[in-house]
Amino acid sequence: MSRKPVHLAVYDTYADWETGHATAYLARAGYEIRTAGPSREPVSSIGGLRVQPACALDDVRPSESSLLILPGADLWDTSDDLAPFARKAREFLDAGVPVAAICGATAGLAREGLLDDREHTSAVSFYLAATGYGGGERYVDADAVTDRGLITAGPTEPVAFAREIFRLLGVYEGEVLDAWYRLFHNSDAEAYAVLEKAQASG
């Protein structure tokens, strides 16, 4: 089955640990992961990983994508450099294509007004409140939240973030999705057998 690529935004200071579970298992499920940067010039993660973006943000089209993933980064809170990525998220959501944002990217979406009318979460409520956004009453104290095509999560929840992505795209469902989460979040060895059985039958 042919799937449209998943676009992973990359930019200087991006948090390289926050999206690894999601991208690894999306790739295993047959999705091409395409990195999108401010330009095609290399960027460096917080951990010092150098990444050559496959494409520039301006070239990313919602109609050619399954999902836009926005990781956290120091730059979300120290400059307006990443505002174009929040605007691209609006373009995706307006087109009915999902967006997944974690950590500092949630603040970027808050500043863009994308959390004003959707249930959402982040690191803590007062982190988003500092942006001056209008969606405080819709903040949910949860590991990850999905509302109308937008997934949000805090920096300590990369596994829950991935779980919501898999659920939204139909990569895993039901007891298999639950088993994947229990294995990687809770180190539940019994969950591995469920995944092995599902993979063997799939």
Side-chain angles (χ1 to χ4, degrees), residues 24-195:
Y25 280 84
L26 287 171
R28 283 188 167 189
Y31 286 92
E32 176 192 358
I33 307 300
R34 289 184 58 80
T35 50
S39 69
R40 294 200 63 188
E41 292 298 310
V43 298
S44 293
S45 73
I46 290 177
L49 299 179
R50 292 283 283 173
V51 174
Q52 174 79 55
C55 61
L57 181 67
D58 286 347
D59 296 328
V60 175
R61 302 284 179 266
S63 62
E64 300 170 356
S65 183
S66 292
L67 172 73
L68 174 64
I69 301 177
L70 300 174
D74 291 344
L75 287 178
W76 282 112
D77 296 317
T78 58
S79 74
D80 293 327
D81 290 357
L82 301 186
F85 287 89
R87 291 194 292 271
K88 183 63 71 171
R90 177 181 292 281
E91 184 182 333
F92 266 62
L93 292 171
D94 287 348
V97 182
V99 172
I102 186 168
C103 189
T106 62
L109 299 193
R111 294 184 188 97
E112 181 65 19
L114 294 174
L115 305 185
D116 288 352
D117 61 353
R118 283 180 170 86
E119 301 292 310
H120 60 275
T121 194
S122 185
V124 286
S125 59
F126 55 81
Y127 169 63
L128 292 185
T131 68
Y133 83 129
E137 292 184 356
R138 294 183 176 272
Y139 186 90
V140 181
D141 188 10
D143 55 10
V145 173
T146 302
D147 187 2
R148 289 179 293 132
L150 177 61
I151 296 167
T152 50
T156 61
E157 299 294 344
V159 179
F161 183 61
R163 178 197 66 207
E164 294 304 297
I165 289 172
F166 302 155
R167 190 200 314 273
L168 188 64
L169 295 182
V171 173
Y172 299 126
E173 298 176 333
E175 69 171 6
V176 178
L177 178 65
D178 177 65
W180 185 91
Y181 180 74
R182 287 188 290 114
L183 178 62
F184 287 97
H185 189 266
N186 304 331
S187 299
D188 183 349
E190 294 181 2
Y192 183 76
V194 178
L195 290 177

